[in-house]
Amino acid sequence: MSDKPFAPAANRNREPILEVLRSEFADRHRVLEIGSGTGQHAVWFAHHLRHLAWQTSDLQDRLAGISAWVSSAALANLAQPVELDVMSTTDLPGNYDAVFSANTAHIMDIDAVREMFRLVGRSLPEGGKFLLYGPFNMQGRFTSESNQAFDASLRAQDPSMGIRDIEVLDRFGSEAGLARSDLYAMPANNFVAVWIRAGRSGFQGDAAADAAS
Ligand SMILES: C[S@@+](CC[C@H](N)C(=O)[O-])C[C@H]1O[C@@H](n2cnc3c(N)ncnc32)[C@H](O)[C@@H]1O
């Protein structure tokens, strides 16, 4: 279909991300993607990971494009997108044991990033996984000159956008009962961070705060 949106970067990074998903999502069943964008990632991952039921989602203005990709892929394990704005959605639209999101933390403003973690933490069961792909800063520092230039270009477009510190994301995670279990270095100075939902009964905030340090 000619009206399918296309992001070249999504085709460049889909293979290395898929390799992480193959192991991290090997024992998962139902995945919600937040901020599916064009829908390219969803088609690629659902095609290669047939054991997963993959739910796409995004803001209203993205849904038609995602839907075009989902329709043309015609995969039994890939669902039409649902509208999901992390600022207004109170519960995930279904039951999931994993959430995936790519390149959203530097686009959303910082309040929305916090809300994304809250939404994920509220909605995942104990042991549920949240995987977030993108560029992150480490200890307040850019990991490359290209990321620094990218951050400057984002902030020039909109001062509320920008590359986030992994420590800040860990703090949002700990506040939401999500403790980071892994951080994969990816091509082009990106990462995949993995957080696990702690048990609700034992969660006091302290254990998660340790994970943030
Ligand atoms: C740079 S795009 C990334 C798209 C895709 N995940 C990828 O990696 O190609 C950022 C996405 O975040 C979505 N987004 C921005 N604010 C959002 C919000 N408040 N709730 C949910 N999604 C949001 C945008 O609509 C957009 O699809």
Side-chain angles (χ1 to χ4, degrees), residues 127-147:
K129 282 186 179 177
F130 178 35
L131 266 65
L132 182 63
Y133 169 86
F136 307 130
N137 290 338
M138 302 287 147
Q139 298 175 325
R141 296 199 176 138
F142 296 106
T143 61
S144 68
E145 287 182 10
S146 62
N147 276 4

Side-chain angles (χ1 to χ4, degrees), residues 7 14-16 19 27-28 46 99 103 110 117 122 137 195:
R14 65 186 185 180
E15 194 58 45
E19 288 315 304
D27 60 350
R28 304 289 112 174
V99 178
N103 293 314
I110 196 70
F117 277 86
R122 265 199 317 275
N137 290 338
W195 289 271

Side-chain angles (χ1 to χ4, degrees), residues 1-2 33 45 70 90 108 114 119 136 172 176-177 192 210-211:
M1 283 173 66
S2 58
E33 181 180 15
F45 300 147
V70 170
T90 50
M108 296 175 183
R114 184 188 282 114
L119 176 63
F136 307 130
F172 292 166
V192 174
D210 287 346

Side-chain angles (χ1 to χ4, degrees), residues 12-31:
R12 284 196 299 273
N13 59 34
R14 65 186 185 180
E15 194 58 45
I17 297 174
L18 175 63
E19 288 315 304
V20 174
L21 299 190
R22 279 191 200 285
S23 60
E24 289 289 344
F25 284 175
D27 60 350
R28 304 289 112 174
H29 302 93
R30 293 174 53 79
V31 178

